[in-house]
Amino acid sequence: MDWSTTILGILAALFGGLNVFQLIFFRATKKKYEAEGEVAHAEAGEAKQSAFENRIAAMENLINEQGQVMDSLRKDILKLSSEKFANERRIIQLEAENKNLREKVDQLEKEVQAYKSTIEKYHEQA
């Protein structure tokens, strides 16, 4: 009975929840799950890196677009500055011409006034 009790005890332990194969393969199963966890962690890191790279690319595109807009605005500013300078020169020329014309009009008004007074004197004498 000693042997039968021992064998029955071992069989009861095996079928009662103590699995010998679980004990043997515990390390292998643990390593397998650790490896799967590391793979998942690496994939998450790659996804994060890919998201950062996409974000950096989008920022570079935005910066390039802003640079093009700024170049366009600089060209517009230079064009407007040169137009302003030309307009200011034209204003100065027109003011000088206006001044000359006023002087001529004043001179002509004086001559007309002189002719009127001469004609009035001539009529008074006649």
Side-chain angles (χ1 to χ4, degrees):
M1 269 216 176
D2 284 338
W3 285 100
S4 64
T5 309
T6 308
I7 290 175
L8 283 175
I10 291 173
L11 287 174
L14 286 174
F15 293 114
L18 179 62
N19 192 346
V20 174
F21 293 110
Q22 283 181 337
L23 292 174
I24 293 171
F25 294 112
F26 178 71
R27 277 189 158 165
T29 307
K30 182 181 174 186
K31 286 183 181 180
K32 177 184 169 190
Y33 288 129
E34 286 177 353
E36 289 175 357
E38 288 177 9
V39 167
H41 183 66
E43 288 175 354
E46 288 176 6
K48 193 183 252 187
Q49 181 178 358
S50 175
F52 283 140
E53 288 173 354
N54 290 340
R55 203 165 174 191
I56 288 171
M59 289 173 121
E60 287 175 349
N61 288 338
L62 180 65
I63 289 170
N64 289 336
E65 290 174 5
Q66 287 177 345
Q68 291 173 354
V69 168
M70 288 180 68
D71 288 343
S72 173
L73 290 174
R74 283 187 189 115
K75 288 177 185 176
D76 290 344
I77 288 172
L78 290 174
K79 180 182 173 188
L80 291 173
S81 295
S82 64
E83 289 176 1
K84 179 185 174 214
F85 179 72
N87 288 337
E88 287 175 350
R89 273 186 39 205
R90 181 75 176 140
I91 287 170
I92 291 171
Q93 288 174 341
L94 291 174
E95 285 176 346
E97 187 176 329
N98 192 16
K99 182 180 176 184
N100 288 337
L101 290 174
R102 273 192 200 130
E103 290 174 357
K104 286 181 182 179
V105 166
D106 290 342
Q107 184 65 29
L108 289 174
E109 284 178 352
K110 288 179 184 177
E111 288 179 12
V112 167
Q113 195 64 16
Y115 287 130
K116 281 183 181 179
S117 63
T118 306
I119 290 174
E120 286 177 5
K121 286 182 186 177
Y122 176 73
H123 284 293
E124 285 177 5
Q125 291 178 357

